[in-house]
Amino acid sequence: MAIMEKDSPAFVFWPAALWTLSTGAAFWFLSALIDTFVLGVGPLWQQLFLPDSKVLFGRLLFVVATFFFSVAIYRRVQGTTNHFKNLLAQQQRLNTLIKKSTDITLIINEQGLCHYISPAITEILGYTPEEIAGKPFSQIVLPQHHARTEQQLRQAINEQSVALPIALQIIDKWGDTRHVEGSIANMLQVPSIAGMVIALRDVTAKVDAEAARDQLQSKYQNLFLKNEVAIWEEDYSAVYQELKKLREIGIESITDYLHRNEDQVKRLASMVRINAFNQATLILFNATSRNDFIWHINEVISSQSPSLFLEQVDAIWNGRKLFQT
């Protein structure tokens, strides 16, 4: 048994044909009754089965017109039905994505009142959606950010088609501050939403990690600069890239290669750059500036055997984490 696809022409043709058949049969019988008992043009059986050519043409014309009219109606109904089914499917997918998302989604009106809150808010901030619904969004925003939140809301209302970035500090249910960032989009004109959509993700761990990193960097920067031991940083990245090229062309022992090519030792040594140094370094080398220090250290190195630099290069070549001399 053949199964009709809902979007196929047959799915429109057969209902239209059945409707035309039933409507045409009713019209045919009613027309025959009128011709017989009102107009008196002949017996009923003759008007049903053997009408004259004019009457037959009129009835057939009605049947054909009814068929095309039915096809048009069924196509329109089918299109409208498919449209609303697609809208419903999109809405269901959107609802599923929002409910399953680990990000917070809120819909607020122009006055800033929340009328939709996704379930993710419970996992991140501890509130239930019911505790936030109908209340101002600013209620959970850090007081210092109220003015900025109002400004971003006004800006989003003026932007009809652009999702604007937003970054805030939110107070969770336990009174702790959470860092969130995301976007706010104006969907006031979308009938199924009719509000400002705010999507937020929790970035507290990222912000805390960056603050800890900055604090650690500051701590070691102070330790580096204020240390009474001479410390300076040499950048061997250009040397490393050259060694990588030599390894790729098949060089197995860098020391053997440099012993055979002594000019390469000076070339590699010239690639070393001084990135930073502390005050104790300047005192040690009796230098007054960066250029003065570099001149002094180059003088010291050039007066020594190239074996020291070869040892350093060999340490890099073999991937040693620590080099001491």
Side-chain angles (χ1 to χ4, degrees):
M1 180 179 178
I3 299 177
M4 292 184 294
E5 295 289 339
K6 290 187 176 182
D7 295 330
S8 66
F11 190 76
V12 174
F13 174 81
W14 288 111
L18 292 175
W19 171 253
T20 301
L21 182 62
S22 59
T23 305
F27 174 77
W28 195 291
F29 183 73
L30 182 61
S31 175
L33 289 177
I34 293 173
D35 289 344
T36 300
F37 297 105
V38 177
L39 300 179
V41 295
L44 181 60
W45 68 268
Q46 183 180 358
Q47 297 306 316
L48 284 173
F49 303 109
L50 296 172
D52 61 41
S53 57
K54 289 185 178 180
V55 173
L56 179 62
F57 177 77
R59 293 177 184 176
L60 292 176
L61 183 62
F62 174 82
V63 172
V64 173
T66 301
F67 174 74
F68 284 108
F69 183 69
S70 300
V71 169
I73 290 178
Y74 272 99
R75 287 183 65 86
R76 183 64 179 270
V77 170
Q78 183 189 52
T80 303
T81 301
N82 290 339
H83 173 70
F84 282 106
K85 282 183 178 180
N86 289 335
L87 287 180
L88 180 60
Q90 292 175 7
Q91 186 66 34
Q92 289 174 340
R93 285 196 295 268
L94 179 60
N95 290 339
T96 300
L97 288 173
I98 291 176
K99 289 179 179 179
K100 298 294 184 182
S101 175
T102 56
D103 295 342
I104 301 173
T105 301
L106 303 102
I107 301 177
I108 64 175
N109 59 20
E110 289 188 67
Q111 291 71 43
L113 300 179
C114 303
H115 59 85
Y116 176 81
I117 305 95
S118 66
I121 196 170
T122 305
E123 293 292 329
I124 297 174
L125 301 179
Y127 303 107
T128 63
E130 293 74 22
E131 290 176 309
I132 305 299
K135 297 179 181 178
F137 173 62
S138 59
Q139 179 175 305
I140 60 174
V141 176
L142 200 68
Q144 295 91 315
H145 286 213
H146 283 182
R148 181 167 50 159
T149 303
E150 181 66 22
Q151 180 182 3
Q152 291 176 322
L153 177 61
R154 293 294 109 195
Q155 186 178 0
I157 290 175
N158 295 330
E159 296 286 348
Q160 298 296 323
S161 59
V162 180
L164 302 175
I166 186 172
L168 298 168
Q169 292 183 35
I170 302 291
I171 305 171
D172 65 20
K173 191 172 183 178
W174 303 280
D176 296 325
T177 301
R178 311 289 297 181
H179 296 266
V180 296
E181 63 181 28
S183 63
I184 178 170
N186 182 353
M187 294 192 178
L188 291 167
Q189 304 304 320
V190 180
S192 60
I193 297 178
M196 312 292 294
V197 178
I198 302 177
L200 300 172
R201 59 184 174 276
D202 185 11
V203 294
T204 304
K206 174 186 173 184
V207 172
D208 291 345
E210 290 175 349
R213 180 200 62 196
D214 293 342
Q215 184 178 7
L216 189 63
Q217 285 180 343
S218 177
K219 175 182 176 181
Y220 281 99
Q221 184 73 8
N222 290 331
L223 181 64
F224 174 80
L225 294 175
K226 297 179 180 180
N227 204 306
E228 296 182 0
V229 175
I231 305 173
W232 67 91
E233 178 187 332
E234 295 184 356
D235 182 1
Y236 276 72
S237 57
V239 176
Y240 177 80
Q241 293 300 323
E242 288 298 312
L243 296 182
K244 186 178 178 181
K245 293 178 182 177
L246 292 174
R247 193 184 296 274
E248 288 175 352
I249 63 174
I251 301 299
E252 295 182 358
S253 173
I254 190 63
T255 52
D256 291 344
Y257 172 79
L258 292 179
H259 281 309
R260 295 193 306 270
N261 301 272
E262 294 184 358
D263 58 319
Q264 293 297 319
V265 177
K266 293 183 179 181
R267 189 176 73 86
L268 291 175
S270 67
M271 295 179 180
V272 180
R273 295 290 179 263
I274 304 295
N275 283 345
F277 52 86
N278 62 1
Q279 186 64 27
T281 301
L282 295 180
I283 295 173
L284 175 68
F285 286 91
N286 194 26
T288 58
S289 65
R290 176 187 178 88
N291 290 336
D292 195 16
F293 161 66
I294 292 176
W295 183 85
H296 277 79
I297 195 172
N298 286 338
E299 183 181 47
V300 171
I301 293 175
S302 63
S303 66
Q304 298 176 0
S305 169
S307 61
L308 171 61
F309 181 72
L310 286 175
E311 289 182 40
Q312 292 176 321
V313 172
D314 184 69
I316 297 173
W317 181 270
N318 292 295
R320 288 160 56 188
K321 301 298 183 183
L322 178 65
F323 172 77
Q324 183 173 341
T325 185

